[in-house]
Amino acid sequence: MAEAPVAVASAVILPESEQTPSPPAALKRRQSSFSDDHSKRPRLGHYDTNGSRPDTMTNPQSERRRSGQMEERKRGQRLFGALLGTLSQSSSSTAQKRRTDIEKKQQAKLKLQAEEQDEKKKQKLEALLVVRRGEQKKFDKQSVSFAQ
């Protein structure tokens, strides 16, 4: 069964047993026929012709930060407007009227209590001053009697 290879008609030409040596690793890539500057697609927008970043362009992160700050400011304004709108509404329900009456009564009671406490403090201070004056007179008499 070891027959000699039979020639088959084919469009593929097999090389003879001589193999060409492979090029070094650095040259294995196909060399471009174009110059390296013109083969690439030019960058648009952020860089100038020499590849450096122009001073007039802003950082995308700073743009995002700025837009975030503006969104936050607008949100704050909306919330403040909603709060003012809520506070400016006057509810004239009976429950609300009852609450305001109760609050007024409580404030009046607190005011009376504060006035009473102030009056008590004044009376205590006056009584203390009277006692101190009496003690001072006694002390003066004793100091005069010791001096003689």
Side-chain angles (χ1 to χ4, degrees):
M1 288 221 114
E3 295 180 19
V6 179
V8 179
S10 168
V12 177
I13 300 175
L14 297 173
E16 298 295 325
S17 63
E18 296 178 26
Q19 298 229 350
T20 59
S22 64
L27 297 177
K28 281 190 176 180
R29 266 194 179 173
R30 190 178 123 227
Q31 296 296 319
S32 174
S33 61
F34 298 107
S35 67
D36 57 324
D37 288 339
H38 298 294
S39 65
K40 296 180 181 178
R41 192 176 87 210
R43 292 185 180 182
L44 302 176
H46 295 295
Y47 297 90
D48 59 8
T49 56
N50 60 1
S52 65
R53 195 173 181 82
D55 293 338
T56 59
M57 293 302 296
T58 57
N59 192 349
Q61 290 177 346
S62 65
E63 288 177 17
R64 252 185 272 137
R65 191 178 314 127
R66 227 180 268 133
S67 67
Q69 289 172 347
M70 289 299 291
E71 291 289 329
E72 186 68 25
R73 185 168 182 255
K74 288 178 182 177
R75 180 178 180 267
Q77 287 176 343
R78 284 193 308 269
L79 289 174
F80 185 69
L83 179 66
L84 285 180
T86 303
L87 290 176
S88 66
Q89 291 177 352
S90 62
S91 60
S92 59
S93 66
T94 56
Q96 183 67 25
K97 289 179 182 177
R98 200 175 302 145
R99 278 189 218 117
T100 56
D101 290 340
I102 291 171
E103 285 179 10
K104 287 178 183 177
K105 288 177 184 177
Q106 287 177 345
Q107 287 176 355
K109 280 183 183 179
L110 287 173
K111 188 176 179 181
L112 281 174
Q113 287 177 355
E115 288 174 359
E116 288 175 1
Q117 286 178 350
D118 287 343
E119 190 64 32
K120 285 180 182 179
K121 281 183 182 179
K122 286 180 183 178
Q123 289 175 356
K124 284 182 180 180
L125 281 174
E126 287 177 16
L128 186 61
L129 284 173
V130 170
V131 171
R132 283 184 181 170
R133 286 182 190 139
E135 293 290 324
Q136 187 66 40
K137 286 180 184 178
K138 286 182 188 177
F139 180 74
D140 289 343
K141 285 182 184 178
Q142 288 177 355
S143 63
V144 170
S145 64
F146 284 126
Q148 294 176 353

